Amino acid sequence: MLILILPFCFSSFCAVLNCCEGDILVLLDSSGSVANYEFSRLLLFVTELLGPFSLGRGHVRVALLQVGTEPHLEFSLDVHSSQESLQKALRSVVQLQGDTNTEAALRVTRRLLTKTEDSVPKILLWLTDGVQPGDVDEPMSELKALGVSVLVVSTVHGNFQVLQRVVTPPLESHLYSVDIDNIDIITEDLREAIIKIIRAERLRVVHLTSHSAVLQWRPVLSADSGYYELWYSSIRKANPEIRRTLSGDSSKVELTNLQPETTYTASLHPETNLGLFNTLSVNFTTLPEGSIQPSMISLSDSGPRQIRVSWGPLQPTRVQRYTVEYGTIPSGRVHTVTLHSQKNSTLLTRLEPNTQYLVTVSALHVDGKERAMSVRACTQEALPALADLQLAPGERQEVEELHVAWKAYQEGLKGYWVTWETENFHSSSSKPPVSTVYLPPTSRSTRLTHPAPNSRVCVSPIYSSGRGDGTCCTAKTHTGRLS
């Protein structure tokens, strides 16, 4: 039985932060591929990562879902409203072992994070060793389409191609690959990335037209504790500043009679005797008169050679078609994709790795008018595959043995992930079991014992920025001997 001793107070983080409001679901790999020591380190990491936050409704809610043969909900979002309660629950977590059924766990995740009507930010924090994560691309894409931010922490032997596809950009702050013994070095960076997503002190524009804007903020007052002062004006000096007083229980306001294609600045200040509150500000530009342009473009599913572009809102009664144009910056060839008015996304493929693109989405109105919106997008770096992979029979005659040798690019190399099919001695399944091993970067070969007949052997290089494409070979069997 695994016993954890988790600290209740973390030096400078003893005072919890009242900075944020949002839901965090921790998806913890609890399968048999995760060693007991590794599992305990992941739990300690979660405890320190979340230690500073104020918990409960109106602050940060935390749920823990374990991944095994079947998903196990350790506790849901509304259970813990104090750090003492959360840490006591983390001390009692027991590893499931079993298979890595991440797909089933993601179905539970979707129900947990989307069953409420709360407009607070939602985060899926996936902690995994990355071994055989399963077919997670589609359920992760569905979660991101629903507004869930996906952040991933993986130990160095993870399937980094999969992880890079599922994580919400930017990758540099939302995807971490780290040796389990050094996982504490990413705590502050990951916490800062979480805070940026769920920080409550912000004034947001949630709806925008040619003549109006709807502003929303996290309420910090009540009807009896004070009121809000709101003032806004256009950047044109000739226009006077407008001031409004809003009740303390307000959390949203609509600004009307605005001018088209005009930039405004708005500020909101809580007035109360309860304490000092920061003034919140936001700048926005109204849409052109009769605007038909997409007011939002988002990028997802970024890889070395692909990016998904999505836009909104859909206007099927006003738009004939959408056109997506993309080309490399500064002067690359422009490619065009035409889509009907019911489509609001497309996957751009055959792109160049580690390259910046200008992507423009334009809407052609039924009256012939056209508006467009552009964003910059960057593909991910393509990690090199092995230079060579060779298989040969082992030297020992008394045991089935396979000698595997390879060559790889050395810059940034952290190790190798080797996978092969072994002989099925004890199982009734017709499918041979798969064995895996992580080898250090100094390795250039290894010997595999008892490989399955016609065993498929794959070796993937692991670099500091991710996992390169694997190279595979099949060991041919002739009359009971490998060749």
Side-chain angles (χ1 to χ4, degrees):
M1 180 177 180
L2 180 64
I3 300 176
L4 297 177
I5 301 176
L6 302 181
F8 172 67
C9 185
F10 309 104
S11 60
S12 61
F13 299 121
C14 291
V16 294
L17 304 176
N18 185 23
C19 69
C20 304
E21 182 181 11
D23 294 342
I24 302 174
L25 188 145
V26 180
L27 188 65
L28 179 60
D29 192 342
S30 187
S31 64
S33 66
V34 179
N36 286 350
Y37 169 73
E38 195 171 16
F39 185 77
S40 66
R41 291 284 296 176
L42 287 173
L43 280 174
L44 286 165
F45 172 73
V46 172
T47 306
E48 184 167 352
L49 177 71
L50 302 179
F53 294 108
S54 296
L55 302 181
R57 190 169 290 274
H59 297 283
V60 177
R61 300 192 302 171
V62 178
L64 177 62
L65 179 64
Q66 294 199 71
V67 178
T69 305
E70 295 294 334
H72 174 70
L73 181 61
E74 196 69 33
F75 49 82
S76 60
L77 290 168
D78 280 317
V79 172
H80 300 294
S81 58
S82 70
Q83 283 293 330
E84 183 178 10
S85 171
L86 174 63
Q87 292 165 32
K88 182 178 179 181
L90 289 172
R91 285 196 295 269
S92 65
V93 173
V94 178
Q95 187 174 1
L96 300 178
Q97 302 290 340
D99 297 329
T100 310
N101 191 353
T102 311
E103 297 161 74
L106 288 175
R107 289 193 290 270
V108 177
T109 298
R110 177 167 179 167
R111 292 198 299 269
L112 290 170
L113 289 180
T114 61
K115 68 179 180 180
T116 66
E117 298 299 323
D118 296 342
S119 59
V120 300
K122 302 179 189 296
I123 294 175
L124 171 61
L125 176 58
W126 184 19
L127 308 178
T128 177
D129 65 355
V131 178
Q132 298 178 346
D135 188 10
V136 299
D137 289 77
E138 183 175 350
M140 285 292 195
S141 294
E142 291 173 354
L143 283 170
K144 290 187 289 186
L146 293 170
V148 178
S149 297
V150 179
L151 282 63
V152 179
V153 176
S154 170
T155 52
V156 292
H157 30 267
N159 188 328
F160 290 98
Q161 271 67 46
V162 173
L163 302 182
Q164 288 172 344
R165 290 197 301 268
V166 304
V167 76
T168 302
L171 265 66
E172 59 268 20
S173 59
H174 290 179
L175 174 60
Y176 297 86
S177 171
V178 62
D179 184 87
I180 194 64
D181 288 320
N182 299 319
I183 194 170
D184 57 319
I185 67 174
I186 69 168
T187 303
E188 290 189 17
D189 288 342
L190 179 57
R191 187 189 295 121
E192 191 62 34
I194 291 173
I195 289 174
K196 285 182 180 179
I197 296 172
I198 62 175
R199 185 183 296 278
E201 289 188 354
R202 60 184 182 275
L203 186 61
R204 297 186 296 163
V205 179
V206 295
H207 185 66
L208 193 63
T209 69
S210 303
H211 295 279
S212 67
V214 177
L215 310 183
Q216 188 178 61
W217 63 93
R218 178 197 178 194
V220 294
L221 304 177
S222 65
D224 300 327
S225 64
Y227 59 92
Y228 294 98
E229 285 281 357
L230 172 73
W231 58 97
Y232 62 96
S233 65
S234 73
I235 60 173
R236 298 171 183 170
K237 300 299 183 182
N239 295 329
E241 183 177 72
I242 300 175
R243 287 180 175 265
R244 293 175 60 179
T245 300
L246 307 172
S247 63
D249 57 356
S250 302
S251 62
K252 184 185 295 187
V253 65
E254 183 177 11
L255 312 182
T256 57
N257 299 319
L258 305 180
Q259 296 299 312
E261 292 189 275
T262 302
T263 299
Y264 286 83
T265 180
S267 299
L268 182 80
H269 184 73
E271 295 287 352
T272 178
N273 294 325
L274 298 179
L276 296 177
F277 290 91
N278 293 330
T279 298
L280 310 181
S281 300
V282 66
N283 294 331
F284 61 90
T285 302
T286 52
L287 302 181
E289 186 75 65
S291 174
I292 57 172
Q293 73 188 64
S295 58
M296 179 277 295
I297 297 180
S298 62
L299 305 173
S300 61
D301 299 335
S302 176
R305 298 192 177 275
Q306 69 173 37
I307 295 175
R308 178 168 295 278
V309 182
S310 304
W311 58 89
L314 282 176
Q315 304 173 76
T317 61
R318 302 179 61 190
V319 173
Q320 295 184 45
R321 66 174 183 266
Y322 292 101
T323 302
V324 180
E325 297 176 305
Y326 60 99
T328 59
I329 297 174
S331 58
R333 175 188 172 190
V334 176
H335 302 268
T336 302
V337 179
T338 302
L339 302 156
H340 62 72
S341 60
Q342 298 287 346
K343 296 283 287 185
N344 69 340
S345 72
T346 187
L347 185 65
L348 308 182
T349 59
R350 298 183 180 179
L351 306 181
E352 293 299 318
N354 199 27
T355 302
Q356 194 173 52
Y357 284 81
L358 180 66
V359 181
T360 301
V361 179
S362 57
L364 178 63
H365 199 260
V366 293
D367 62 5
K369 294 182 179 179
E370 190 171 17
R371 292 288 189 276
M373 190 174 186
S374 299
V375 295
R376 291 175 180 244
C378 190
T379 53
Q380 298 175 16
E381 178 185 3
L383 300 173
L386 290 185
D388 185 40
L389 176 64
Q390 296 183 356
L391 306 182
E395 297 178 356
R396 294 193 298 171
Q397 300 296 318
E398 67 276 10
V399 63
E400 292 287 349
E401 188 179 67
L402 185 63
H403 182 260
V404 185
W406 58 84
K407 296 179 182 178
Y409 301 95
Q410 297 302 304
E411 184 177 355
L413 187 65
K414 295 295 184 181
Y416 301 94
W417 190 242
V418 183
T419 303
W420 74 99
E421 297 167 328
T422 59
E423 284 187 318
N424 200 342
F425 292 111
H426 307 292
S427 173
S428 58
S429 173
S430 59
K431 189 176 180 179
V434 176
S435 294
T436 55
V437 64
Y438 173 74
L439 299 175
T442 54
S443 302
R444 296 294 181 272
S445 65
T446 189
R447 296 185 183 276
L448 311 178
T449 58
H450 301 294
N454 299 320
S455 176
R456 186 165 177 79
V457 180
C458 298
V459 180
S460 300
I462 299 172
Y463 298 93
S464 54
S465 57
R467 182 172 175 175
D469 291 335
T471 301
C472 300
C473 289
T474 300
K476 300 298 183 181
T477 303
H478 299 288
T479 65
R481 293 293 299 165
L482 292 166
S483 64

